[in-house]
Amino acid sequence: TMGPSETIFVNNNGGPVKLNLPPATNESEFRVVKIDPSANQFTIFADGTDTINGSSSITSTKQHEARTLISDGATAWYVM
């Protein structure tokens, strides 16, 4: 589980990576960047019944793709 606000650099040359967000009630912001060239997927999961843009998770396989996630302080995360 990630802390209250941080930047995560994902290097998943060794295989898929899963990241778990804290509850959206914490009003947090995260930046996640995939830095390796592999086709391996990383997945970001919302906590419990929280959502990320209406879904329980988001994924990426693209090198240098960055996602900024901001919580609404209640039950949702939004990708900016």
Side-chain angles (χ1 to χ4, degrees):
T1 300
M2 298 189 269
S5 183
E6 58 187 272
T7 299
I8 308 292
F9 295 98
V10 177
N11 181 339
N12 57 338
N13 271 322
V17 170
K18 297 177 181 180
L19 302 171
N20 297 307
L21 291 169
T25 55
N26 293 336
E27 291 191 17
S28 301
E29 179 177 331
F30 296 99
R31 287 161 300 287
V32 181
V33 184
K34 182 180 184 329
I35 61 172
D36 70 275
S38 75
N40 292 326
Q41 178 173 291
F42 78 84
T43 306
I44 302 170
F45 292 94
D47 183 68
T49 59
D50 290 353
T51 60
I52 304 170
N53 287 358
S55 298
S56 61
S57 66
I58 58 172
T59 62
S60 178
T61 58
K62 298 176 185 171
Q63 183 178 19
H64 304 296
E65 183 166 20
R67 304 280 181 101
T68 299
L69 298 104
I70 299 175
S71 70
D72 67 356
T75 62
W77 290 90
Y78 296 96
V79 179
M80 302 302 190

